[in-house]
Amino acid sequence: MSEDTSIFVDRSSSFESKAPAFEENTPEQQPRLTGSSRETGQSRSANKKGEGSSQVQATGDDRHMLESLKKIRDRALAGRRRAIADAFALADQCKAFGQRLSKAQLLAFIRNECRVSRTEANAYLLLADFAGPERADLERSAIEVGVLCRLAKQPATVRAEALTVLRSGRTLSLADLRLLRRDVLAGDARNSSQPDRTAINELKRVARLKAKDQVDRFILDLAGLANAFAALYNETTPEDCSAETLARVQALSVDASHLAKELREVVPAKVLTPSSSLGERSWITVQDTLEQIAEAKLCSMEGWCWPDVHPFWIDEHLHEILGWALGQEIPELAGRKRPVPNGGVALDRHPLSSASRPSAPYRYSVLELCAGAGGQAIGLHAAGFRHVGIVERNPEAASTLRANRPRWPVIEEDMNTIDIGRFEGVDLIAAGLPCQPYSQAGERRGSADERDLFDRTLEIVEQIRPKAVMIENVVGITQVTHAVRRLNVFSTLERLGYDTDWRVIEGPVFGLGQNRRRAILVAMRRGMMHRFRWPLPPEMAPTTVGTLLKDLMGARGWTGLDGWVARADGLAPTLIGGSAKKLGMDLAQPNSRKAWLEIGVNPRSVGKQAPDPDYLGIPYLTLPMLAQLQDFPADWIFSGSRQAQFRQVANAFPPRLSRVMGLAIQRALSGEEISVKTAIEAPLFKRIDLAELNLHMREAAE
C-alpha cells in the first residue's frame, strides 16, 4: 500500500474507533468498568488469539475497500482539476476571439453553444485575467467550477484572501465564499474611511424578525375572524335578527376593524395593489373585505347595510376571500390552477391520459409567419393555440389555407412589409422561415441569401414582445458554418430579454414515416425558460412507409401491393423540393436516391395516380401520398398547379411535430401537462369543436 493510502487508512480508522461511543449497548454488550489493567490486557490478548483469522480477513477487506475509496477520491479530484483547466482554456480562447466577435456574441456562444448558465457565462470572460501562478493554485485546490466562476467576479481583496485560503490546503464552497466576502469587505470598510454598517445591518435583521412575528400574529387573528364569520354564516338564518346575532355581528365588526388597521401597518398602502401573479385575488381584496366587515356590510343584497332590521343573507364570497388569504381552497376556484406568488406557474407533472389538448384551448394566441400550406398552423391549432394572424405571401399557399379553414385569419402579405403593430401582446410568434439559405440544396449562403428572414423575424419580436418565440428551420443552420449567424440570433434575443435554446427534433421518434429532422429555436421571456422542456419521445413503434401508404398505394387494385408493402418496411428519406427555384418534381438528391429505391419508391418524379392492377416496376408516390408522409390530414386540399402543390407539401413543417412543440410551449405558459402519446394519436381536428365554435361566436359578436 502506498504512503498516501496509509494516510487514508489511518484517518478512516480514527473515525471508526469513535463510532461505538454513539451507540446504545444492551446489558450483554456493556463493557466491564472494574478490574485491573492487567486483566483488561489479558482479555484483549485472548480475543486476539481466538479471533486472529477473522481479524486478518477483516483487515484484508478493509484494505480493498479503502483502496477503492482512494481511487474514487483521486478520480473525483482529477475530474475537477480537468474541469478547471478546461474553464481557463475556454476563457483564453474567448479572449482571443474577442478581437473578431463582440462581447454579446461571445456570451451567446458560452451560454447557448457551451451550455453554461447565465450566472457563470460572464465569469468565463473574467477567468482569463487570472495569472499563471493563481491558475496553478486553483487547479491544485480542485474547487468546483461554479465556485471558480463566482471567485472571478470578486473584488481584488476577496480574491486574494480566497487564494490564500486555498493555498493553505483548504477548499471553499459557495457558502464559504459568500461569508468570506462579507468578512473581508467588512475589514476593508473598517480600515478605510467608509462608515461601519454593522449596526445598520443588525437593525435590519431585527426589523425583519419583528415583521415576521407581526405577520404570524396577524394571520392567527385573521384565522380567528374567518372561523367566527363561518360560524355566524352556518348558525344563523336570513330571518335571524336576534340580539345575540346582532352582538356577534358587532364583535366581527370590531375585530375586522383592528385587522384592517393592522394589515395597513404590516403592508404599506402603496404596496396593496392588485397583482396579476396572484390570480383573481390579491391582498387589496383582503383589505377591502376587512373594511366591509368592519362596517357590518355582510349582506349580498345591494344597498342593505347593518344595523337596519331587515332579514339578510350573509355573503359567503367574503369568507372565500379570507380563505384565500389563509391558503385554503376557494369553492368558486376549485379545479382551477392555484396561482404561485411572484408570477410563477404551478407545473402539472402528471398528465391526464385522456386529454389530447389543454383543458382551456385557445387561451393563448399565436401569430404565425411564413405559414406555407399550414403544417405548422394545423399542429399549433391542435395544441390549443388561437391564431390571430397567419402570414403567407405565396398566393397558392394562402389559397390552400383559406380553402381548408375559412375562419382562419389568413394574411396574404410579405412579412417584410406587413404592419404588425396590431398584434402587440400576442403570446407566441411561430415562424417557419425559408430553409434554402441553410440547406445543401440552397448552397447554404446563410444571411447572404435574399430569402433569409431571421433579421426581419427578430425585428417583429422586438416590436411585439411575445411571451414565447418558436422558429423552425433545417438542421443545416446548426452546423459550424452558420455558427456566427446563430450567435447573432442568440445575442439579439438576449438583448431583447429572452432566454433561448436551439435543438434538433427527430420526426421518426414521434411516429413520422420519414427521416425528417428539424432545427427548432425556442425563446421565452426571461424568468420563464425554466418551465420549458423539450418534448420527450413516447414509447411507440416506428411507422413504416408500407404501413402508412398501403391504402393509398392500393387504391386502384394493384396486385403487387403486398410485395411492395413488405419491401417498404422502413422510413422514407427526408422529403425535399420546397424551393421556389426548383423546377422539377424529383424527390431526391443523388445521395438519397438509393434510400428511396431501397424502400420501393421511384424518386425521379411524382405520380399522378396510384398503380393500376397490372403495374410492373417501382411505383411513384402521388401528391396525396407525399402529404400523408408529411402528416397532413387526409382531407387537406392543396391549391395551385401540381408543381405548386408539390412545393407546399415538401416545404411543410409536419403537423405532429408542430403539435408536440406547441404542447411543450403551452406547458411552459400554463403549467398544464398533456401526454405526447395521447396527443399525437388523436385527430388533428375535432369533428365538432365546441370551444372553437364559441371562440368564433365571440369574435363575431365583437
Side-chain angles (χ1 to χ4, degrees), residues 230-351:
L232 179 65
Y233 176 81
N234 293 326
E235 296 169 8
T236 59
T237 64
E239 295 79 17
D240 186 356
C241 296
S242 64
E244 180 185 356
T245 300
L246 295 177
R248 294 174 70 176
V249 171
Q250 187 60 35
L252 275 176
S253 175
V254 172
D255 291 343
S257 179
H258 289 312
L259 284 171
K261 179 181 178 182
E262 192 173 345
L263 181 57
R264 285 192 294 271
E265 294 175 356
V266 172
V267 185
K270 63 181 180 181
V271 181
L272 283 175
T273 56
S275 172
S276 59
S277 66
L278 297 178
E280 300 186 16
R281 297 289 185 268
S282 69
W283 279 103
I284 194 171
T285 62
V286 177
Q287 179 74 42
D288 293 342
T289 298
L290 291 173
E291 291 174 354
Q292 186 172 343
I293 297 174
E295 296 174 8
K297 295 180 179 179
L298 309 182
C299 202
S300 59
M301 296 172 60
E302 184 177 356
W304 187 91
C305 179
W306 197 268
D308 291 354
V309 286
H310 293 287
F312 66 93
W313 286 95
I314 294 178
D315 188 358
E316 61 179 315
H317 178 69
L318 302 179
H319 188 259
E320 291 165 2
I321 296 173
L322 299 180
W324 171 85
L326 297 168
Q328 298 174 358
E329 191 67 42
I330 305 173
E332 73 175 56
L333 298 182
R336 302 187 195 176
K337 290 207 173 292
R338 182 176 296 176
V340 178
N342 303 320
V345 170
L347 289 176
D348 179 5
R349 300 181 60 250
H350 304 285

Side-chain angles (χ1 to χ4, degrees), residues 42-153:
Q42 291 172 348
S43 157
R44 290 176 179 170
S45 177
N47 286 340
K48 287 184 179 179
K49 291 179 181 179
E51 301 175 4
S53 59
S54 62
Q55 184 69 28
V56 171
Q57 180 63 39
T59 302
D61 290 344
D62 287 347
R63 286 177 177 273
H64 177 72
M65 177 191 70
L66 294 172
E67 284 280 6
S68 299
L69 289 175
K70 177 184 177 296
K71 290 178 181 177
I72 293 172
R73 179 203 66 181
D74 292 346
R75 205 157 44 233
L77 293 176
R80 286 206 293 272
R81 287 174 182 134
R82 283 195 303 273
I84 293 172
D86 290 342
F88 281 128
L90 174 60
D92 291 339
Q93 291 169 353
C94 287
K95 185 175 182 180
F97 293 148
Q99 299 176 356
R100 299 182 60 185
L101 298 176
S102 67
K103 181 180 179 181
Q105 289 174 323
L106 285 174
L107 288 174
F109 170 74
I110 296 171
R111 289 193 59 237
N112 296 282
E113 300 287 334
C114 302
R115 303 193 188 183
V116 174
S117 69
R118 177 186 300 278
T119 56
E120 294 181 3
N122 280 288
Y124 271 81
L125 298 182
L126 301 174
L127 288 178
D129 296 335
F130 278 103
E134 293 177 328
R135 295 187 181 194
D137 291 335
L138 289 166
E139 286 188 33
R140 278 193 296 270
S141 72
I143 61 172
E144 297 287 348
V145 172
V147 180
L148 174 67
C149 291
R150 191 65 60 87
L151 181 60
K153 297 180 178 181

Side-chain angles (χ1 to χ4, degrees), residues 101 127 282 353 364-365 385 389 423 508 511 625 653:
L101 298 176
L127 288 178
S282 69
S353 59
Y364 295 104
S365 58
F385 278 95
F423 300 113
M625 295 177 192
F653 185 26

Side-chain angles (χ1 to χ4, degrees), residues 31-47:
R32 297 177 61 185
L33 302 180
T34 58
S36 66
S37 60
R38 178 179 297 178
E39 177 184 333
T40 305
Q42 291 172 348
S43 157
R44 290 176 179 170
S45 177
N47 286 340

